[in-house]
Amino acid sequence: MSESVVVHEGIDDSKRKWVAITCVAGAGAGIATAVPFVSTFAPSERAKAAGAAVEVDISDLKVGEKKTVEWRGQPVWIVRRTPEMIAGLAKDEAELADPESRRNADELTPAYARNRDRSIKPEVFVAVGICTHLGCSPNARFAPGAQPSLPEDWPGGFLCPCHGSTFDLAGRVFKNKPAPDNLRVPPHRYLAENKLRIGEDQKA
Ligand code: FES
């Protein structure tokens, strides 16, 4: 997993609060003293870097494998699905809580990923690897079939080890699980055939 700066948003929040209080207290002191406060208010380079989009080269990502990168302090998975994985997405929909990704769509599924694959290209799936229940990171369990902690007719997908939520290979949550929603598909777009930019939306 590539490493980058992790944002502790509370730090900036408290700084903003502190700056706001200071500005009110110093309002009578005039414009000259306001300038340093303005510069304090500007986001630090570190905070900007932590919120920035991330470029990912996926030319080394093999079919059937997953790569994890970090964006805004969160794991983002990129899976190069096999033709069988893609075909399987049509078969499990009766078992899913939200097969068409309608819940919290603005937050969880960009317009260009509101399809069965939840992706721009069917073969490449991009998702934030954080369970929508309480925030654990699910494990990849791509192999179909019976195995520990999974049903006998498991189609392949992801298992959250914390409370047993399961997701299919498009990050769609199965019914009757603690997780209320599908995994989030982050904003992303292609810069080239094998180069992704995570954190920026594809133009319509
Ligand atoms: S955090 Fe994933 S099931 Fe509870």
Side-chain angles (χ1 to χ4, degrees):
M1 185 166 112
S2 71
E3 296 292 328
S4 62
V5 179
V6 175
V7 193
H8 296 285
E9 293 186 340
I11 294 172
D12 269 5
D13 283 345
S14 65
K15 188 188 284 181
R16 282 164 193 259
K17 209 172 290 166
W18 179 82
V19 169
I21 291 165
T22 306
C23 287
V24 170
I31 299 288
T33 56
V35 174
F37 296 147
V38 170
S39 63
T40 306
F41 189 79
S44 68
E45 289 304 315
R46 190 177 169 190
K48 276 194 279 187
V54 180
E55 280 183 23
V56 189
D57 181 353
I58 57 168
S59 56
D60 60 345
L61 182 60
K62 296 190 175 68
V63 174
E65 293 191 350
K66 170 169 79 74
K67 174 175 199 158
T68 304
V69 298
E70 188 176 331
W71 171 66
R72 294 190 172 176
Q74 305 172 97
V76 172
W77 301 331
I78 302 147
V79 180
R80 200 183 289 280
R81 289 181 288 214
T82 65
E84 294 74 25
M85 287 170 155
I86 298 167
L89 297 175
K91 297 177 189 154
D92 63 11
E93 295 195 328
E95 308 300 321
L96 302 174
D98 182 20
E100 295 178 0
S101 299
R102 293 187 178 174
R103 293 184 192 166
N104 296 320
D106 289 345
E107 181 192 341
L108 299 174
T109 314
Y112 45 83
R114 286 178 203 158
N115 49 51
R116 175 174 287 148
D117 314 313
R118 302 187 76 227
S119 60
I120 297 171
K121 299 180 185 181
E123 65 273 26
V124 179
F125 176 51
V126 181
V128 175
I130 294 182
C131 181
T132 53
H133 182 219
L134 294 177
C136 293
S137 190
N139 299 324
R141 300 289 283 270
F142 291 167
Q147 50 200 290
S149 306
L150 291 169
E152 286 190 1
D153 59 350
W154 176 243
F158 303 92
L159 167 67
C160 183
C162 291
H163 312 96
S165 291
T166 46
F167 304 85
D168 79 350
L169 285 160
R172 298 177 296 179
V173 68
F174 282 87
K175 283 179 182 168
N176 304 317
K177 300 293 177 182
D181 288 314
N182 296 339
L183 299 178
R184 182 185 179 201
V185 174
H188 64 286
R189 66 187 179 96
Y190 285 85
L191 300 176
E193 174 72 17
N194 277 312
K195 190 167 273 191
L196 276 165
R197 194 162 169 85
I198 314 288
E200 275 181 13
D201 276 312
Q202 174 175 274
K203 300 275 183 295

